[in-house]
Amino acid sequence: MDQMVDRYPSRILPTPTIVDRLDPIVWGESKQDGAPLAPADIESFKRNGYLAFARFFTPEEVGRLTAALATAWHAAGRSDGDMIVREPDSDIVRSVFAIHESDAVFRDLLHDPRLAGIAAQLLGSPVYIHQSRINYKTGFRGKEFYWHSDFETWHTEDGMPRMRAISISIALSDNHAVNGPLMLIPGSHKHYVTCVGATPEDHFRESLRRQAIGTPDDGSLRWLVEQGGIDAPTGPAGSIVLFDCNTMHGSNGNITPYPRSNIFAVYNSVENALVQPFGGTPPRPDFIASRKVTPIA
Amino acid sequence: MDQMVDRYPSRILPTPTIVDRLDPIVWGESKQDGAPLAPADIESFKRNGYLAFARFFTPEEVGRLTAALATAWHAAGRSDGDMIVREPDSDIVRSVFAIHESDAVFRDLLHDPRLAGIAAQLLGSPVYIHQSRINYKTGFRGKEFYWHSDFETWHTEDGMPRMRAISISIALSDNHAVNGPLMLIPGSHKHYVTCVGATPEDHFRESLRRQAIGTPDDGSLRWLVEQGGIDAPTGPAGSIVLFDCNTMHGSNGNITPYPRSNIFAVYNSVENALVQPFGGTPPRPDFIASRKVTPIA
């Protein structure tokens, strides 16, 4: 596909800027028959940039997913595949990518109309899986994930043209206030924070372990938090949080004995397929940012 | 003073152990006239090992203390004194010690009968200030404080004979769930977790920045949390938490823009004055562990 106009340039200017979002937040305004989200959910999503649903999956479903996670985890520990990311200071597995391609349980989960249907409803089109992974934040020595907008990276390093993707995080352990839960800045999805610093070659190998380039500056974060505060949804295993691709989020470290694991999936609109990365670097591998558009039926 | 029997040996055995506390939790059973704590407070302290009081100080008092903290902070930034501890990865000031000796506002605060009176009531004797400091956990890049029992260190490295000291933390910024608040393990004060590893010479210079020796093992922590869970009291500036010297506590890092600052004071019973360190190393400096017993009137 040819290069197109860069609506969201980043990592170019010597100082950070905050610009308005140029895209709709919800692309499909009308509630179709059978669309999962109610009008109040849609309004909340427009305002805050995310939705949290406690106990979205039943304990039985959680049990089945947890077993699949454990199996994938142990296999990853013995593998040296590219799709496995380890902690910055140890060999402990932190993430395994492209799980919908390697495991039928996860594939079925991410094709479930309860999840893919929400994404299609918000994005106003059929969707495909842009990325999937399992994340595991160990107890005692779990490291923080610094604040970031996924879109900033996906646009710059992967060539995602517009803000038209939804991430869903499915908790497979209880999220307490104390074990480093996902934090989101309500309303941050309405603003685009450009970052400073050019992207190094093969940046992703390091950035998945410890992010440095593509992180927002202190002043912009402070401004966003003054606007919207910080929310950290908690809930038992089986709860989900879904958020806009431009919602600023992160998580603190975790010294508690409670580990934290989740399944993370990104649904992109089929009308928002990747082009050449806007930052000028070669595209990242397919398991991080799929260049195959396979609509979910 | 001569060496005495070591009731709580630690850093000797090759594996960690959990033994029972050998000392009372509350040393003064009878409520004296004017003693600050009510019987229900005393029972809660016995059971949990800590008490939290939101809005203990008025906004006016908080304003005065905050101004004194800012002054002390800026002075510390320009000083290379021993009493100043910096972040492990930067020169940002993390703590300033012995503030009751250097600043009249803090001296008056820590002699206030509302604080010293609580300590005297729980410890059943007059008290003196074993240690005082201001702590500052920066926003965005605040590092964690790993789990520890203060008593384990004070006994081994400072020669505190028995569990008969009370710590009080006075919040001078709002403690949210998300900005790395103090976490405590309820009931942990009833157990003594011995640690593994000999104490290096001059250990304190490193340990105040990043603790390694004198930290409990994963198995013991998991056991304590299974017994009591984890509590993280929140509240506005002016709230206080007071806890037994053996209560296991720590705090997660802080990537939020909200900094966290507090005043921290330890009251020890005049009947529990320091002797030679039980770990056999030379005593740490007086600003960390006072060897002068000056009872508070």
Side-chain angles (χ1 to χ4, degrees):
Chain A
M1 202 181 287
D2 288 335
Q3 187 57 294
M4 55 171 71
V5 171
D6 183 355
R7 296 164 68 90
Y8 298 104
S10 184
R11 310 189 196 180
I12 294 168
L13 295 176
T15 52
T17 58
I18 304 181
V19 297
D20 286 345
R21 177 189 184 109
L22 301 175
D23 290 310
I25 298 164
V26 173
W27 292 67
E29 292 289 333
S30 65
K31 187 174 185 313
Q32 308 151 316
D33 281 0
L37 295 177
D41 294 329
I42 302 272
E43 285 313 306
S44 176
F45 183 83
K46 280 186 188 167
R47 188 168 58 248
N48 296 317
Y50 65 96
L51 290 169
F53 296 107
R55 299 178 179 79
F56 189 87
F57 290 100
T58 66
E60 294 68 36
E61 289 172 315
V62 170
R64 203 158 56 239
L65 294 171
T66 303
L69 180 132
T71 303
W73 211 261
H74 285 104
R78 293 186 305 268
S79 165
D80 58 358
D82 270 352
M83 296 180 204
I84 293 153
V85 177
R86 295 168 198 276
E87 288 279 356
D89 304 322
S90 76
D91 279 342
I92 296 171
V93 173
R94 180 173 184 157
S95 301
V96 182
F97 279 79
I99 52 166
H100 68 291
E101 294 186 343
S102 58
D103 189 306
V105 172
F106 295 129
R107 186 200 163 283
D108 290 349
L109 170 72
L110 301 189
H111 284 72
D112 189 319
R114 286 177 291 172
L115 298 180
I118 289 177
Q121 183 182 3
L122 291 171
L123 302 178
S125 75
V127 297
Y128 70 100
I129 297 174
H130 169 74
Q131 183 190 102
S132 75
R133 68 210 236 192
I134 52 183
N135 291 316
Y136 185 83
K137 181 179 278 191
T138 177
F140 302 112
R141 281 161 287 277
K143 293 290 179 294
E144 75 275 6
F145 270 98
Y146 200 68
W147 298 107
H148 61 286
S149 150
D150 287 329
F151 180 77
E152 194 278 341
T153 295
W154 298 344
H155 181 75
T156 308
E157 300 191 25
D158 298 329
M160 182 180 283
R162 304 185 67 172
M163 295 182 183
R164 197 174 179 181
I166 297 289
S167 297
I168 301 186
S169 174
I170 303 161
L172 289 187
S173 52
D174 298 347
N175 280 332
H176 307 275
V178 294
N179 67 337
L182 177 68
M183 300 188 289
L184 309 108
I185 303 180
S188 57
H189 61 307
K190 297 174 187 167
H191 310 281
Y192 182 62
V193 180
T194 70
C195 299
V196 171
T199 313
E201 194 89 0
D202 269 355
H203 172 54
F204 73 92
R205 291 187 199 283
E206 177 64 17
S207 73
L208 294 174
R209 303 185 86 175
R210 184 163 16 206
Q211 184 98 8
I213 305 294
T215 57
D217 62 294
D218 294 2
S220 298
L221 283 171
R222 196 175 281 117
W223 185 85
L224 289 173
V225 170
E226 281 165 7
Q227 308 289 309
I230 295 174
D231 189 19
T234 56
S239 302
I240 72 167
V241 179
L242 64 102
F243 51 101
D244 179 83
C245 58
N246 189 46
T247 300
M248 195 65 78
H249 63 285
S251 64
N252 280 319
N254 175 25
I255 69 166
T256 79
Y258 308 125
R260 216 164 60 76
S261 55
N262 63 57
I263 298 168
F264 183 78
V266 183
Y267 296 97
N268 191 24
S269 166
V270 296
E271 298 169 15
N272 195 37
L274 304 189
V275 297
Q276 287 305 303
F278 291 91
T281 46
R284 300 195 296 176
D286 230 65
F287 67 84
I288 295 177
S290 177
R291 308 188 84 81
K292 294 190 303 281
V293 176
T294 313
I296 294 176
Chain B
M1 201 182 285
D2 289 334
Q3 187 55 293
M4 54 169 72
V5 171
D6 183 355
R7 297 163 68 90
Y8 298 104
S10 183
R11 311 189 195 180
I12 294 168
L13 295 176
T15 52
T17 59
I18 304 180
V19 298
D20 287 346
R21 176 188 184 109
L22 301 174
D23 291 310
I25 297 163
V26 173
W27 292 68
E29 292 289 333
S30 64
K31 186 172 184 319
Q32 309 150 318
D33 282 359
L37 295 178
D41 295 329
I42 303 272
E43 286 312 306
S44 176
F45 183 82
K46 281 186 187 168
R47 188 169 58 249
N48 296 319
Y50 66 94
L51 290 168
F53 297 107
R55 297 178 179 79
F56 189 86
F57 289 100
T58 65
E60 292 69 33
E61 290 171 315
V62 170
R64 204 157 55 238
L65 294 171
T66 303
L69 180 132
T71 304
W73 211 261
H74 285 105
R78 293 186 304 269
S79 164
D80 59 358
D82 271 352
M83 296 181 204
I84 293 152
V85 177
R86 294 168 199 275
E87 288 279 355
D89 305 322
S90 77
D91 279 341
I92 296 172
V93 174
R94 178 173 185 157
S95 301
V96 182
F97 279 80
I99 52 165
H100 68 290
E101 295 186 344
S102 58
D103 190 306
V105 173
F106 294 130
R107 187 199 163 282
D108 291 349
L109 171 72
L110 301 188
H111 284 72
D112 189 321
R114 285 178 292 172
L115 297 180
I118 289 178
Q121 183 182 5
L122 291 171
L123 302 178
S125 76
V127 298
Y128 69 99
I129 296 174
H130 169 75
Q131 183 190 102
S132 74
R133 68 208 235 194
I134 51 182
N135 292 316
Y136 185 82
K137 181 179 278 191
T138 176
F140 302 112
R141 281 161 286 278
K143 292 290 178 294
E144 74 274 8
F145 270 98
Y146 200 67
W147 298 106
H148 61 285
S149 150
D150 288 329
F151 180 78
E152 194 277 342
T153 296
W154 298 344
H155 181 75
T156 307
E157 300 191 24
D158 299 328
M160 182 180 284
R162 304 184 67 171
M163 295 180 183
R164 198 174 178 181
I166 297 289
S167 297
I168 301 186
S169 174
I170 303 160
L172 289 188
S173 51
D174 298 346
N175 281 332
H176 306 275
V178 294
N179 67 337
L182 177 68
M183 301 188 288
L184 309 108
I185 303 180
S188 58
H189 61 307
K190 298 175 187 167
H191 310 280
Y192 183 61
V193 180
T194 71
C195 299
V196 172
T199 314
E201 194 87 1
D202 268 355
H203 171 54
F204 72 93
R205 291 188 199 284
E206 176 64 17
S207 72
L208 294 174
R209 302 186 86 175
R210 182 161 21 204
Q211 183 99 9
I213 305 296
T215 56
D217 62 292
D218 294 1
S220 298
L221 283 171
R222 197 175 280 117
W223 185 85
L224 289 173
V225 170
E226 281 166 6
Q227 308 288 308
I230 295 174
D231 190 21
T234 55
S239 303
I240 72 168
V241 179
L242 62 102
F243 53 100
D244 179 83
C245 58
N246 189 47
T247 301
M248 195 66 77
H249 62 285
S251 64
N252 281 321
N254 176 24
I255 68 167
T256 78
Y258 308 125
R260 216 164 60 76
S261 55
N262 63 56
I263 298 167
F264 183 79
V266 183
Y267 296 98
N268 191 23
S269 167
V270 297
E271 297 169 16
N272 194 37
L274 303 189
V275 297
Q276 287 305 303
F278 290 90
T281 45
R284 300 194 295 177
D286 230 67
F287 68 84
I288 296 177
S290 177
R291 309 189 84 81
K292 294 190 304 281
V293 176
T294 311
I296 294 175

